[in-house]
Amino acid sequence: DVYKRQFFFLSFLLLFPNMKVLLFLALFLVSSSAFFYLPGVAPRNYETGDLVDLKVNKLTSVKTQVPFDYYSLPWCRPEKIIDTAENLGEILKGDRIENSAYTIMAAVPITCQVLCKKEHTTKDIKKFCSKIDDEYKHHWILDNLPAAMRKNLQDQDGNTISLFEEGFPIGSKTEDKKGYYLYNHINIHIDYHQDEETKTIRIVGFEVEPRSIRHDSFDSKDANSFPKSCLSPDHPPQIISRKDKSVEVTYTYSVTWRRSEVEWASRWDVYLQMTDDQIHWFSIINSLMIVLFLSGMIAMIMMRTLHADLRRYRENLESQDEQEETGWKLVHGDVFRPPVHPILLSVFVGSGAQVFSMFSCDFSLCCSWIFIASKSRLINDSYGRFTCCDGRGCWLHRSKIM
């Protein structure tokens, strides 16, 4: 329904350009929740005990840049995997949002809940080891908030600074580099803000802390039974190796609800200071250096050519009337000469102005807080801004023709 509604409005804007302003305003009023999302506009209130959906997204890696579906690895699965309807921007980003087997109740703490127990074969273990080598990460979503992992760093003065990183790793290598720690226990910390009048809560923070624990045996038939190894911070980790033929792994999770004074409108502030490991600074600096080097070479060639022409003109200044014009003076009158194909030139200039205006709006929105909640919406809504910027392109097109 969302795609049909957006396609209907955009088609109308193209077919009837005189109605663009009115139809675009109607697009925002009718489909504002689906087409243009602002963080903090539509908060969701939870009563104590309400079900809070935890969704999973693709597995990503900085090393390979190749995303994988979350359930491409043998994680604990729900009874039925349901795909969340992605918008066009999420599809172009390669997002694959699905439901999970985690059960979380609002304001209800959970201690070492057993998710499932799986017997991993050699093929499964090799998949895990390969993904850990490539530094793949989980990406979870809770109440439209991405999962963040805390990182403690020290500044120059020795003070500890807490930063957050989006996503959390599947595992890590052991100290001897011969095995791998598989993170099979997740501590989920959820911050909430409670309304004193209605006593409802709103989720304002979503933090995860992965751990590797080799769980002790427990009575799986007893619903209240759980492995006591979760409560021990020094319990041996769950280590896997490519040489293992089969490994039994118990997946568990704990949920902690923490009351916070942060209000709903400010819950994205921590994500603005989040470290993004997908920013390839070396590639950016390398590209800038190449652009500067090539620009300098072109400028040097042009300056040498102009200096040679000016020097020759100064030497032959007395006989300039008798000589034919050469060099850059041959094109000095082209600016006043009408083009051979004026319609084609006006089309290119108008289309370029339209694309430039769209990218200018996108760049301004990228530098603001508007689309920090959903970056894929920026891609999705770019088509609407491209249509709205058609007025500038038409104005330049007509002015060029006239």
Side-chain angles (χ1 to χ4, degrees):
D1 295 337
V2 174
Y3 295 128
K4 291 181 181 178
R5 188 161 57 248
Q6 294 179 6
F7 178 77
F8 171 77
F9 276 108
L10 291 178
S11 302
F12 240 81
L13 292 176
L14 293 174
L15 294 176
F16 303 99
N18 296 329
M19 300 289 292
K20 286 181 179 178
V21 177
L22 295 178
L23 287 177
F24 190 73
L25 291 176
L27 175 64
F28 271 81
L29 294 175
V30 175
S31 183
S32 59
S33 61
F35 181 71
F36 190 80
Y37 173 75
L38 292 178
V41 173
R44 182 174 179 180
N45 298 325
Y46 293 94
E47 299 282 348
T48 302
D50 288 348
L51 181 64
V52 182
D53 294 329
L54 192 153
K55 300 178 181 180
V56 295
N57 202 350
K58 59 186 178 181
L59 302 173
T60 62
S61 170
V62 181
K63 293 182 64 176
T64 64
Q65 298 295 322
V66 179
F68 283 91
D69 181 63
Y70 184 82
Y71 292 111
S72 62
L73 292 179
W75 305 115
C76 300
R77 295 168 173 255
E79 295 181 358
K80 182 180 179 181
I81 299 177
I82 302 174
D83 294 337
T84 304
E86 296 97 353
N87 55 44
L88 184 59
E90 291 172 343
I91 294 175
L92 294 177
K93 284 181 59 182
D95 289 346
R96 186 70 179 273
I97 302 175
E98 299 165 319
N99 62 328
S100 67
Y102 293 85
T103 302
I104 300 177
M105 313 299 287
V108 177
I110 300 175
T111 302
C112 200
Q113 176 67 40
V114 177
L115 191 62
C116 70
K117 182 186 291 186
K118 302 202 70 173
E119 185 75 22
H120 293 306
T121 61
T122 304
K123 183 179 179 180
D124 296 338
I125 295 172
K126 289 183 178 180
K127 284 183 179 180
F128 280 119
C129 296
S130 176
K131 294 297 185 292
I132 294 174
D133 283 332
D134 292 334
E135 300 178 2
Y136 272 87
K137 291 184 176 182
H138 296 271
H139 289 280
W140 290 358
I141 301 173
L142 184 76
D143 193 42
N144 201 35
L145 283 176
M149 186 178 66
R150 185 184 297 269
K151 294 176 63 176
N152 294 323
L153 304 176
Q154 288 187 350
D155 57 6
Q156 298 178 352
D157 299 331
N159 300 323
T160 302
I161 302 175
S162 295
L163 298 177
F164 289 92
E165 181 179 341
E166 186 175 352
F168 59 98
I170 294 174
S172 60
K173 295 182 180 180
T174 58
E175 289 75 8
D176 56 4
K177 306 298 182 182
K178 295 181 180 179
Y180 300 87
Y181 297 121
L182 181 62
Y183 294 149
N184 59 327
H185 177 79
I186 308 297
N187 290 323
I188 302 174
H189 305 288
I190 304 175
D191 298 331
Y192 68 93
H193 181 80
Q194 188 172 20
D195 190 351
E196 297 297 337
E197 296 181 359
T198 61
K199 299 300 180 181
T200 57
I201 65 173
R202 295 176 179 177
I203 297 176
V204 295
F206 180 30
E207 180 185 346
V208 295
E209 180 187 353
R211 288 184 60 192
S212 178
I213 304 175
R214 190 176 63 197
H215 289 296
D216 298 331
S217 59
F218 65 99
D219 187 6
S220 58
K221 297 181 180 180
D222 187 3
N224 297 323
S225 177
F226 63 89
K228 306 300 181 182
S229 49
C230 293
L231 306 178
S232 176
D234 299 328
H235 199 80
Q238 179 68 60
I239 299 178
I240 59 175
S241 175
R242 296 180 186 271
K243 299 179 181 179
D244 296 335
K245 294 184 178 180
S246 64
V247 176
E248 186 181 65
V249 180
T250 303
Y251 292 91
T252 57
Y253 67 99
S254 299
V255 180
T256 304
W257 291 83
R258 304 179 300 194
R259 187 163 184 171
S260 175
E261 297 299 328
V262 178
E263 297 182 356
W264 168 270
S266 303
R267 70 173 188 165
W268 286 96
D269 292 349
V270 66
Y271 292 92
L272 296 175
Q273 302 175 356
M274 180 179 294
T275 58
D276 190 357
D277 51 4
Q278 299 206 22
I279 299 178
H280 298 265
W281 294 110
F282 179 78
S283 301
I284 295 175
I285 295 174
N286 187 32
S287 301
L288 291 176
M289 294 300 295
I290 292 175
V291 170
L292 292 176
F293 177 73
L294 294 178
S295 301
M297 288 185 59
I298 295 174
M300 186 181 300
I301 294 172
M302 293 183 63
M303 291 299 296
R304 293 188 62 179
T305 304
L306 291 176
H307 278 300
D309 290 343
L310 292 174
R311 185 172 61 252
R312 185 166 59 253
Y313 294 148
R314 284 196 298 268
E315 292 176 356
N316 301 326
L317 185 61
E318 297 179 355
S319 58
Q320 186 176 8
D321 298 335
E322 300 176 2
Q323 294 183 354
E324 296 182 357
E325 292 183 347
T326 58
W328 60 273
K329 281 196 172 184
L330 291 174
V331 297
H332 73 280
D334 286 350
V335 68
F336 303 107
R337 193 175 298 126
V340 181
H341 303 287
I343 301 297
L344 187 61
L345 176 62
S346 62
V347 169
F348 285 151
V349 172
S351 301
Q354 182 179 358
V355 174
F356 178 77
S357 301
M358 182 196 70
F359 277 108
S360 299
C361 295
D362 291 347
F363 182 78
S364 301
L365 293 174
C366 287
C367 295
S368 65
W369 57 271
I370 294 180
F371 284 95
I372 189 65
S374 182
K375 297 179 182 178
S376 58
R377 294 282 179 181
L378 182 64
I379 305 174
N380 188 37
D381 298 345
S382 295
Y383 297 98
R385 285 187 291 275
F386 179 79
T387 305
C388 293
C389 294
D390 187 30
R392 178 177 175 83
C394 292
W395 178 77
L396 287 175
H397 173 73
R398 295 173 181 174
S399 63
K400 290 295 180 181
I401 294 178
M402 296 176 62

